[in-house]
Amino acid sequence: MAWLFGKPLLFNYVIMVLYSMNAAWWAAHGKWADTCYWLSALAITATVTFGYKH
């Protein structure tokens, strides 16, 4: 697991894929508040991953 946790960018990609899958699942079940929750989590993670230059 060091290959995943040792590379923050790769870890964030995995997390964003999981967030997208959660959002799609909730949308398919008509739960829009939960869909928005996961899309918001995705947006925050994407902002941190791509929006900041460290």
Side-chain angles (χ1 to χ4, degrees):
M1 292 301 283
W3 62 271
L4 177 61
F5 294 111
K7 299 180 181 180
L9 190 61
L10 179 60
F11 180 75
N12 285 356
Y13 283 137
V14 171
I15 292 300
M16 287 189 287
V17 168
L18 292 173
Y19 287 164
S20 299
M21 291 170 62
N22 271 313
W25 192 88
W26 284 111
H29 289 84
K31 302 292 186 173
W32 300 112
D34 293 309
T35 302
C36 289
Y37 173 87
W38 289 108
L39 290 175
S40 297
L42 173 64
I44 291 168
T45 304
T47 300
V48 171
T49 302
F50 304 116
Y52 293 110
K53 302 297 180 205
H54 298 281

